[in-house]
Amino acid sequence: MSERALRGTRLGATSYETDRGIDLAPRQTVEYACQNGHRFEVPFSVEAEIPSIWECRFCGQEAVLLDGDEPEEKKTKPTRTHWDMLMERRTREELEEVLAERLAVLRSGGMNLAVHPRDTRKSA
């Protein structure tokens, strides 16, 4: 009998519930504008924290909240160079000492430049 009652319906495709008697959460509408001149509104809950930047629904650019605070600049770290990282590990005096040692090895001929310094095989 239950088979006949569900005949012709698409289970899961449609909802048989109604919105009658349901109180929706209080909402507020916020307006955003992008650089291309698109203006659009987004509904938020009254309790929600409103983001200052939202993706434009027309072009995908960043849209800014109208009548709101300017978005905060993200703190970025300055790029560290090889020299900066080297100076974190050694002092200038230590570097000058290492340089003097390596120059002495080069000048004495103790380093064969024809063979890669990391090559562990003995040259014939």
Side-chain angles (χ1 to χ4, degrees), residues 24-85:
L24 298 176
R27 298 172 188 248
Q28 61 180 332
T29 304
V30 179
E31 189 173 12
Y32 289 90
C34 75
Q35 293 177 348
N36 294 335
H38 300 128
R39 294 175 78 123
F40 58 95
E41 294 180 343
V42 179
F44 286 99
S45 169
V46 173
E47 301 169 356
E49 183 177 326
I50 307 298
S52 58
I53 296 176
W54 196 264
E55 182 179 326
C56 178
R57 62 175 54 161
F58 302 106
C59 64
Q61 298 282 332
E62 282 189 350
V64 180
L65 176 66
L66 294 178
D67 301 329
D69 297 332
E70 290 293 319
E72 295 178 9
E73 291 291 325
K74 293 182 180 179
K75 295 180 181 177
T76 57
K77 294 181 180 178
T79 55
R80 289 175 28 195
T81 63
H82 178 70
W83 179 255
D84 293 334
M85 290 184 272

